[in-house]
Amino acid sequence: MTSAFRPGPLNLITDVLGLTVGHLTDEAVRSGATVLRTDGFWAAAVDVRGGGPGTRETEALAPENLVGKAHAIALAGGSVFGLAVADGVVAALSDQGQGLRLKPGSPAIPVVPAAVLHDLGNGGDKAWGLEPPYRRWGIAAIEAASRTFALGRVGAGRGAMAGYLPGGIGSASLDLGGGLMVGALVAANPIGTVYMPDGRSFWAWPFEIDGEFGGRRPGAHPPVVDPMPDASRLYELGRTQVGANTTLAVVACNADLTTAECKRLAMMAQDGIARAVRPAHTPFDGDTVFALASGAIALGEARAVALARLGSAAADCLARAIARAVYEASLG
Amino acid sequence: MTSAFRPGPLNLITDVLGLTVGHLTDEAVRSGATVLRTDGFWAAAVDVRGGGPGTRETEALAPENLVGKAHAIALAGGSVFGLAVADGVVAALSDQGQGLRLKPGSPAIPVVPAAVLHDLGNGGDKAWGLEPPYRRWGIAAIEAASRTFALGRVGAGRGAMAGYLPGGIGSASLDLGGGLMVGALVAANPIGTVYMPDGRSFWAWPFEIDGEFGGRRPGAHPPVVDPMPDASRLYELGRTQVGANTTLAVVACNADLTTAECKRLAMMAQDGIARAVRPAHTPFDGDTVFALASGAIALGEARAVALARLGSAAADCLARAIARAVYEASLG
């Protein structure tokens, strides 16, 4: 039986209305930044499952803490230097008047959680001394934000790897009917591999819609038993430091989720990483999933059932987005 | 290329030497208990990712807390009543002299973390009033503990379901060479389904070794896009309460892992649930993974790389164990 479920019109996270995405890609540095902007102050949460994360403002998203919402999410390469991307986004949004106003006349205070991946060793020009470029890139990425955006070797995914292959930016969406939309955005830089042992079929193949990542299907193949496959980078010297590899993701929907419900959405979406990458969530990955909810659609009764459905869809969208990231990077 | 990795001689978690497993199965109650016993006091941790867990002594396994070790892990049906299984195991082990001795002459204090699944509504005789049987069953399961044990509709898996199909007990192991052994034990009662949309291929099929769960391979199939497949039980009345569904697992290895390293092993093993069950980790699942390490093999240098490899193998073993649980239950 064929299902009626389809991607949204763009098959991008921006099918969740109110979101825009902007990239800054620097070919000389071989790095970049990607910013996901909301049109307001959306319920938000984060789930960190990698052993080497690089993050900012994640504690503000804990369900038991005060804020639990975000104006934008910033992703970047550059490891610890990349965290400055949020400085630029905060300044740019505040300059436009977006943010919390705690007192008349004081600056607007945007909440911009951020996460970074490691691309320092990829041969780009990283001799930035006291002036790393990521703060500037955050401002530029906000200026570039749009409902349509490029996939592959752009933005925060410019310097990313997936195993030994180029990684990059991916996205996907699913229309659940009744006005409900779910989407995912990813900067895929996992130490694990997105390919099955045949070296060509994506782990995520069962979830593919309309050949969005090449339509390859696995044939006969040997059992998948090597826990550290050659296509992963676990043995590669110089890349197995903590935090050297990371899948950074945002999942979003237009339901009226609370911060705690966004946390469950992010937790379930981690299963999309598990299904698209093997191994995942190692000590060397910084795997981090943010979740956002616009609140446009009221879930009404049986909220937890609806949340399970949204979480399952978010996991599928994230698995598809990861495969699309590597597929699009391979085309470039 | 065919890999040299093979299951251990039993293809059970007890291939990790020092472990024994005992079941108590009650056909009238349609429930039971399963106890995994160590031969000492093993490093242990737990990772809870379901939205409706039922657990005991999990805080004692937090890396920042004092204990971080366990003498046994107890699994049972019976929801909240089943937690009493650990009472029986604690009494039985202490009676045999196993446990911490804080003062000469005082009873030995066994540390027995436990987790339960929901099988209360399966038609068995649950009219136990003030005398639920689980404490007795814990004592009996310890008496039955052995290196070989049954799979399928036994022990804590007697009343389990997997989607709409019978769930049960599963196990699997992998010999990583160099003396390193990894294994998994599961009581599989997920709300999600273990089958792809063709209704016969296990999600875990890529990881199968030697037809251990029937050797079925997916053929052409429609895209997997329904986030709440018919074969899951999400819409079934009376079963979508919090905590009504759960995959309870233990992964074990014979390396010298710390409690914190066991936590990472458990976290990575959750990916095995993600790969074998869809959806997983919903608000209605109590998905809980314990991890144990005997310490027989010193990992030496590059510990984090070895840990990533063990975690990847644990995830694979758990995915295989889940498929075996449902496969063996279908044979019975």
Side-chain angles (χ1 to χ4, degrees), chain A residues 228 234-235 240 283-284, chain B residues 261 299-309:
Chain A
M228 202 165 345
L234 275 170
Y235 279 127
T240 54
F284 306 103
Chain B
E261 289 167 338
L299 289 183
E301 304 213 352
R303 288 185 70 84
V305 174
L307 177 58
R309 188 163 171 256

Side-chain angles (χ1 to χ4, degrees), chain A residues 34 82 99 101 116 122 146 150 165 181 201 245 272 274 277 297 301 303 308 317 325 327:
Chain A
T34 297
R101 295 273 187 186
V116 293
N122 68 352
S146 156
L165 299 166
M181 185 72 70
S201 308
N245 314 272
V277 179
I297 304 285
E301 304 214 353
R303 288 186 70 84
C317 285
Y327 178 69

Side-chain angles (χ1 to χ4, degrees), chain B residues 130-192:
Chain B
L130 291 178
E131 297 292 342
Y134 293 93
R135 197 191 71 84
R136 283 192 283 113
W137 293 359
I139 296 171
I142 279 288
E143 287 171 357
S146 157
R147 278 200 69 205
T148 57
F149 58 93
L151 304 182
R153 295 191 71 63
V154 293
R158 171 59 186 86
M161 302 283 285
Y164 282 108
L165 298 166
I169 295 288
S171 193
S173 69
L174 194 70
D175 183 341
L176 291 175
L180 270 181
M181 186 71 72
V182 178
L185 172 71
V186 70
N189 184 47
I191 198 167

